[in-house]
Amino acid sequence: MKIICAVDLTSSTTWLIEAAGTLAKQCGAELMLVHVMPEKGREIDFHPTIEARFRPRRKYYREPDSPEKGDSVPILHDRAFNLLQTVSDWLKEQGVSADISIIHGNEVEGILSQAEKYRADMIMLAGHRHNPVYQMLMGSVCEEVIKRSPVPVTIVPPTAT
């Protein structure tokens, strides 16, 4: 079984990663942490909550399909990469097979394309509690992924920390 875990690096990512890790471990599934970097002109927002939860371990990365080795793979946003690599290392220490992928563009398109590329059996997303006006104007990544995904989508709701 292969699970795509789409992480946006907000505080919601903490419980999403823990839930995805638990499910992957129980099912013996492979986990792919996918982060879609926003399109040009949009701000990238990093929240300290997730950074405090996961301690850095190793400093290398290899995209699963890349012929390159180690840190020779170009990474456009080191901070996102380093954080995802740290999370991947933490999951591996928990006994979960975990890789990472960082792509640029539209969040929905990116998640769905990675699910297809990875041949995922499931997609996991963090649920956010946006107010109705935001929802009406901006829409929801979760909602659009659910509508368009050919595989089951699990939404992990926010929890108290």
Side-chain angles (χ1 to χ4, degrees):
M1 180 174 196
K2 294 180 179 180
I3 301 171
I4 292 284
C5 180
V7 296
D8 62 7
L9 304 180
T10 64
S11 59
S12 303
T13 304
T14 302
W15 59 81
L16 171 63
I17 291 166
E18 290 172 350
T22 299
L23 179 63
K25 188 171 184 175
Q26 290 174 350
C27 298
E30 297 174 21
L31 195 57
M32 172 64 77
L33 300 172
V34 173
H35 178 63
V36 182
M37 299 298 279
E39 297 173 12
K40 285 185 177 181
R42 291 188 50 200
E43 289 295 316
I44 300 168
D45 192 16
F46 293 92
H47 297 265
T49 306
I50 185 172
E51 291 172 340
R53 173 66 176 88
F54 301 100
R55 296 185 327 271
R57 285 156 176 87
R58 294 182 290 226
K59 302 280 188 208
Y60 64 89
Y61 172 76
R62 184 181 166 291
E63 182 75 23
D65 300 317
S66 174
E68 300 290 331
K69 294 181 180 176
D71 60 4
S72 62
V73 176
I75 301 299
L76 297 175
H77 296 280
D78 289 342
R79 190 169 179 192
F81 158 72
N82 288 334
L83 185 53
L84 285 176
Q85 184 62 54
T86 297
V87 172
S88 175
D89 291 344
W90 178 83
L91 286 164
K92 288 174 184 173
E93 288 174 1
Q94 308 304 309
V96 176
S97 172
D99 286 313
I100 66 174
S101 180
I102 301 172
I103 55 178
H104 291 262
N106 175 278
E107 290 92 344
V108 174
E109 296 296 329
I111 292 165
L112 293 174
S113 71
Q114 287 300 95
E116 182 180 346
K117 178 181 173 182
Y118 190 58
R119 296 183 187 154
D121 299 299
M122 174 188 283
I123 298 171
M124 294 183 75
L125 304 167
H128 298 280
R129 293 191 176 122
H130 295 300
N131 69 46
V133 173
Y134 178 93
Q135 191 76 19
M136 183 179 69
L137 295 174
M138 301 302 289
S140 164
V141 171
C142 291
E143 182 180 328
E144 195 62 28
V145 170
I146 289 169
K147 285 181 189 175
R148 297 177 48 196
S149 177
V151 298
V153 177
T154 300
I155 308 300
V156 179
T159 60
T161 54

